[in-house]
Amino acid sequence: MQAANMLLKKIVRCSAFSFSIQHGLKQGMFPLRRTLVLSPCLKDDNARGSSEKVDLDAWKEVMKSGLQEVSETVSEPKELSALAAARETLELWRLVGRPVPENITDEQMKAFMECPSKSAQKKYLKYLHLKEQHKKNNKRKMEEKRERRLEAQERASESEKPKKSSFVCLWGSSMDRAYNWRVAQSMIFGQPLVFDMSYEKYMSAREVANAVKQMVLSEGCNRRSADPFHIHFCNFKDDSLYHKEFIKHYRGAWDKLLITVTDQCYTDIFPKDKLIYLTADSPKVMKTFDHDKIYIVGSMVDKSIKTGVSLAQAKRLGLETAALPLEKYLLWNCGAKNLTLDQMMHILLTLKDTGDWKKALEFVPRRKYCGFVNKPLHELKKTLNLVNMLKHGKRAEELQKRFANNYSKRLIQK
Amino acid sequence: MALFSQPSQHGLQALLWKSRVFWPVSRCNQLFAVPFGISKRDKISSFSFMTSSSTALPVDPQGTDACPSKKRSEGDYEEEKGWDEDTQEIHEGNVRFSSSGGTLKKQLMNHTVSRHKFATVQPPTRPLCAEEWNRLRESFQSPETFEEVMFNSMVRYNSPIDVAKSLLTHVAKSNGDIGYNLLVKYLALCVQQGKTSEIRDVYDIMKIRFKILESGAYNLLIRGLGNSDQWRMALTLLEEVKKVTVPSRSNYESCIKAAGRHQEMALACELYHEMLAKDLVPTLDVLQALFDYSRGVRDPVLQKEMFGVLLYLRENQIYPHKTFMRSIKLWFESIPGEKWIGHLTNIKDSGQCPVCNHQLEDSELTEEEYNNLREKIIRDVIHGTDTFRKTSPQEFEAFQTFVENRLPFDIVIDGLNISHIMPRKVQCENLFEAVNCLAKDYSRLLVLGRKHMLTNSFNWKREVMKEMQNKADFFFAENISEDDAFLLYATLRSGKHCKFVTRDFLRDHKACLSDSVTRHLFRKWQRGHQIVFFPSAGGKHINFLPACSYDCVVQTTGDTWHIPYKDTFEEKYSYQIPRKWLCLQQKYRTT
């Protein structure tokens, strides 16, 4: 053992020795030592000589000489205010390559300082960073578009051709008018659809913003549909966060929207036996879309899944509940079964128009399911096989058998 | 390998087929094959029945994953080097990435070739001149990130520091400045190799160039300087960090270890307390370091501090891992003049230590703790933000009156959970068996269920249900209510002697509790009162594991200490308790 140790030591020494000989210096001994630069115009293929003429600590000189100028400008207040210090830190983080926004307003800075924990700070910075990136990309795309349009115009002006058309080009506004007529009709004769706005206390500000965004989208797709719903926003409190966000989105159009906004509860407006609360936690599964019922959608975004909140609301008011038959029609893959409000809207509109579940459930995000159930059995097996192979590796066969058994049982029960 | 001798093959095959355990057998195959060095042919012959039988799954003898995946446990600790009885030296300059037990993963990552596109850059082995760097840079796929990528791979391959210096020089010469990111990466390389003078230089340069540094650089500096003889610098840096933000626990860890290494135990303890005051959770490494460095020191104040650390483990229900336990044992045995003797042991179910026959603390809560826990369960778990989420006010009230009228119960059973014990049996039969089995030992039973159990169906036969109701009280909650919360309430309301039966770990209910003190109370109570069923091997009847009668925490009587510990590689969940204990007792001089 000892002999081996000695040998090892010798070898190490040897190599170190040769190394130091080769490089002509001892590491770490003289940190500020400067070796002479011999001739700067050595041939670069002369590798062995080249290592000797590299001055390894020259960078420190460069850095420190650059400092004289810098230190004259800085060098005074060592004590920074907390805000300034945080700003500096962010700048350095950006240099290191963390996801930090380049420009940050004082308001955002304050929000950053008020974050309860370091991880919250990190998340907030990342969010701002991504927001900034999106903004930049959009700007870039807009500019490219503008350039393309200008080019196209130039080309068009070269080949001047008067177009003949029996329509005046008023697509946008006339479409709008047509849509508004339809929605106005639905306000009088249409089937009501209720958005329940009583979940503000369960949500963070960002979740409320997301929920409002989704509701704006659903209002838009409702307006464009052939047979729109009459949308009700119930339990809507003035000057709530919801309200503020809606004003942000719609600005002046908020008061002209063809929807009913009320602070009343839906139970005060509609007869209780006609109301059905749609919630993913419901034990009852919706079989068909009923044109005489009034469906309620809880306008809540829960990034951290809060199970049973809307079900509790329905229980409290003694309402009937229903969940979409996702299990029945889709081979669910992964992801939560709560869908976004605009997806919900699309699905309900499609059901209303066609009554075709398959068509309606195409609005469920593709990543969440592997396929539709009504495929022939061998194809279904193939999909399952694949999924299991991906998920469980070898135990796939057994699982598949079990699943197939259960599945046939379930079908028999239904 | 007598296990697989020829005549027994058929029997074994039948057994295997019955219980469908091919996987363990293949593991067995490996486990045996390694120590006994069986040749391949032998292996094949003894396992030929596996493949010849058409019903068996194919077994891949190379297919097992020998390394169990290591999850993040509640107390983080890093992997230690092999622990040596005589000396445990701390390698200076060997930077170990602590926190969250990620060292192992990192090492593995280093060995596996990651598929990152830049991983192919091999740093040069000797310093290069500007020309050569330029050429390398040109040949690189994206020259603008060349320096950064190169530095990253230098850190990964632990290149000699001169190579990094030559690159820095090249950058400085061509740009007249070096970016902060490169400086930090260079600093990481210096810290990795323990080059103190370089660390100092980089720090000086950074100080003049930047008004303030960020957490990454501070981390590296504190770690690097803490491992050197200039460790006092690390303390001043720690003060600097405090001005801007709360230092991370790894900052404190480096400083505490540095102070300990230089026998400044008072300072180390001061830092440790400061850390606790800032609500940072110390890594087990820190605690272990405290024990390691105060070994053999005679100082009553310090001794008290160490006992304080042990009590901290007790308060937070932390179980030390094996190496940490060894440090504790050695520390005790090294106290001059006190003659502590430590033994490793397993505690019996009765809660008696086989070494010193000391009876461990029982897991009973005080009356006050009971009431506190019950109130919190009602407030946080049953009501929460909205009573309707788990039950309804009417239902809960009905349940309360039901319980009050029939108090006290001896055992409360989660009917639905128990009915699923044996999946091949009808659910009500499972429950029936369990109730019968328990009725022998306990006189007053309460079974919680849901209303759908009352409708006559294949799984819930009315006659069986009727018969059961003669032996036990039943309460049926609504089908969409949570029955677990009722289970907890009924058990707590019945008092100390009452146990409950479910296979649920109750993690989600524990998570509902608002403060950690109550959560610990809950766990303690759960350990002492939960009875877990498991079906016996034959599948004929049901056994159950008794609740743990003693409390599984670090405990002392003054002249004895009992410390539960866990093996390093065991995956431990919060509801599992270690079975292994360190028993320490003081041998008084019999004069």
Side-chain angles (χ1 to χ4, degrees), chain B residues 298-316:
Chain B
R298 174 140 209 176
D299 179 2
V301 180
L302 184 60
Q303 205 169 319
K304 228 170 115 185
E305 285 281 1
M306 291 298 115
F307 287 151
V309 173
L310 289 173
L311 290 177
Y312 173 84
L313 295 180
R314 177 191 168 96
E315 292 301 310
N316 293 287

Side-chain angles (χ1 to χ4, degrees), chain A residues 327-331 356-359 361-362 369 371-380 407 411:
Chain A
E327 284 280 85
K328 190 177 162 188
Y329 291 98
L330 302 176
L331 286 168
D356 179 359
W357 278 108
K358 188 168 184 286
K359 217 168 155 183
L361 293 181
E362 271 170 1
Y369 64 97
F372 285 95
V373 163
N374 50 4
K375 280 182 181 173
L377 201 67
H378 65 269
E379 263 191 66
L380 190 144
Y407 204 79
L411 283 183

Side-chain angles (χ1 to χ4, degrees), chain B residues 113 116 132 140 160 164 250 285 291 303 306 317 335 369 371 381 395 399 424 460 463 478 487 517 521 531 552 563 585:
Chain B
V113 180
H116 195 263
E132 290 162 315
F140 189 64
S250 61
D285 255 27
F291 277 100
Q303 205 169 319
M306 291 298 115
Q317 299 190 10
I335 302 175
E369 285 172 333
N371 294 333
V381 179
E395 190 183 30
F399 178 69
R424 296 198 188 149
W460 299 102
E463 315 79 78
E478 291 294 334
L487 175 94
V517 178
L521 264 188
I531 289 176
C552 190
I563 297 166
Q585 48 183 330

Side-chain angles (χ1 to χ4, degrees), chain B residues 2 21 126 134 136 140-141 192 198 267 285 314 371 407 416 461 480 494 519 539 549 557 571-572:
Chain B
V21 280
R126 53 177 184 78
N134 267 336
L136 267 182
F140 189 64
Q141 47 212 5
Q192 200 165 292
E198 282 301 311
L267 179 61
D285 255 27
R314 177 191 168 96
N371 294 333
L407 277 178
L416 279 171
K461 300 192 176 74
I480 49 173
S494 295
R519 282 201 288 269
S549 62
T557 59
E571 273 193 47
K572 275 267 180 274

Side-chain angles (χ1 to χ4, degrees), chain A residues 19 22-23 25 27-28 31-32 44 47 50-51 53-60 62-64 67 70-71 74 78-80 85 88-89 92-93 95-96 98 118 202 283 306-309 311-313 315-316 394 398, chain B residues 60 126-129 131-132 135 148 161-162 165-166 168-169 172-173 176-178 180-181 183 186 195 197-198 201-202 205 207-215 243-248 385-386 388-391 480:
Chain A
F19 185 79
Q22 188 189 328
H23 296 291
L25 61 93
Q27 305 171 14
L32 286 172
D44 44 32
S50 66
S51 62
K53 72 171 178 57
V54 175
D55 177 0
L56 289 175
D57 285 330
W59 61 276
K60 293 180 187 173
V62 172
M63 292 300 284
K64 282 181 179 161
L67 298 183
V70 181
S71 56
V74 188
K78 272 281 168 208
E79 291 303 313
L80 288 165
E88 286 286 321
T89 311
L92 291 180
W93 273 344
L95 288 176
V96 170
R98 284 205 200 180
K118 283 187 187 177
Y202 291 104
K306 300 179 183 73
T307 319
V309 174
L311 186 66
Q313 174 84 343
K315 263 205 252 173
R316 183 180 303 110
K394 290 205 154 185
E398 200 188 326
Chain B
D60 174 19
R126 53 177 184 78
L128 303 181
C129 65
E131 287 273 352
E132 290 162 315
R135 238 183 304 151
E148 216 169 324
I161 211 158
D162 289 356
K165 278 184 183 176
S166 72
L168 281 179
T169 305
K173 287 254 171 76
D177 190 15
I178 297 173
Y180 181 78
N181 54 342
L183 281 177
Y186 174 67
K195 301 266 190 280
S197 60
E198 282 301 311
D201 284 349
V202 175
I205 286 170
K207 269 321 284 183
I208 320 174
R209 281 287 283 109
F210 306 98
K211 284 182 220 167
I212 197 169
L213 303 185
E214 48 79 56
S215 50
K243 279 179 203 161
V244 187
T245 172
V246 180
S248 67
T385 49
D386 184 353
F388 283 95
R389 273 174 82 167
K390 289 189 174 165
T391 168
I480 49 173

Side-chain angles (χ1 to χ4, degrees), chain A residues 44 56 104 143 160 174 184 200 233 377 393:
Chain A
D44 44 32
L56 289 175
I104 185 162
E143 268 163 17
E160 194 77 53
S174 49
E200 199 172 290
F233 287 172
L377 201 67

Side-chain angles (χ1 to χ4, degrees), chain A residues 227-259:
Chain A
D227 180 13
F229 282 106
H230 173 198
I231 295 183
H232 287 71
F233 287 172
C234 291
N235 293 324
F236 189 91
K237 306 276 176 292
D238 272 343
D239 298 327
S240 59
L241 261 179
Y242 278 123
H243 193 169
K244 282 178 193 141
E245 285 291 330
F246 271 120
I247 297 288
K248 241 188 230 174
H249 272 281
Y250 281 114
R251 304 222 176 94
W254 172 243
D255 295 322
K256 295 182 201 149
L257 272 186
L258 294 170
I259 55 175

